[in-house]
Amino acid sequence: MSDIIISNTEFLRADVLQASLWANPEQPGDDVTLYAELSLDARASALKRSADGRLSKRLTLTVSVVAHDDDEEGIERMRAQVTLSGGSQTVGREGASDEEIDRHLAVNTVAALYATARTYLEFNTSMMPIKRFTLPAIDPYRVVDGRD
């Protein structure tokens, strides 16, 4: 058991701030392979230090997706957008700079919020004509490093 590493980072919560879903009622999409155009927008707060030494970060993540088939017309089958807010905290890591901890918390928060968005969309699209839609995997490091 000693080689198992458990992070001292705690994900605080995920709140859905806004969600919209649309499915093409004329094109139900049964047995159609869908191709998704995915965009992410991550907006983070500054790193905060509490009186007890915990470091925390909040982040808002917007996941937008348009799914279409690959025929010549590229019929749009579904559009969805979900905006979530959440945060992570840690007691700090010996030898780590604030910049490293800030990135660590942002990456963990993006990963947790994206997983929440994925579950949210899977559940809600399962009741739509297109059937269940699963978001593709992402690299949360690239999302964090690419944000402004």
Side-chain angles (χ1 to χ4, degrees):
M1 280 293 236
S2 62
D3 59 347
I4 296 176
I5 298 172
I6 298 175
S7 175
N8 63 357
T9 299
E10 176 186 5
F11 181 68
L12 300 174
R13 64 180 291 147
D15 296 312
V16 175
L17 302 179
Q18 180 273 335
S20 63
L21 295 165
W22 172 85
N24 187 335
E26 314 235 337
Q27 301 291 332
D30 290 339
D31 300 322
V32 173
T33 300
L34 296 178
Y35 298 85
E37 299 168 24
L38 177 68
S39 65
L40 301 172
D41 180 32
R43 307 210 180 242
S45 69
L47 187 66
K48 293 184 182 175
R49 187 181 306 270
S50 66
D52 65 357
R54 290 189 176 274
L55 296 162
S56 64
K57 182 167 203 68
R58 293 203 51 81
L59 194 134
T60 300
L61 180 70
T62 299
V63 179
S64 302
V65 64
V66 176
H68 54 87
D69 57 27
D70 65 339
D71 69 9
E72 292 176 15
E73 287 82 42
I75 297 170
E76 192 173 306
R77 305 290 181 164
M78 184 268 298
R79 272 192 313 268
Q81 184 172 12
V82 181
T83 301
L84 302 108
S85 177
S88 294
Q89 68 179 8
T90 188
V91 290
R93 296 165 36 200
E94 193 160 326
S97 68
D98 280 359
E99 291 79 21
E100 291 169 320
I101 293 171
D102 183 70
R103 183 172 184 255
H104 168 78
L105 290 174
V107 166
N108 278 277
T109 304
V110 164
L113 290 176
Y114 189 78
T116 302
R118 175 185 266 179
T119 302
Y120 183 90
L121 287 175
E122 282 182 343
F123 174 76
N124 286 291
T125 58
S126 70
M127 296 178 272
M128 295 171 76
I130 64 160
K131 307 301 180 220
R132 185 180 78 175
F133 180 83
T134 301
L135 288 171
I138 63 162
D139 179 351
Y141 289 93
R142 289 185 63 192
V143 174
V144 169
D145 294 342
R147 73 171 194 263
D148 295 331

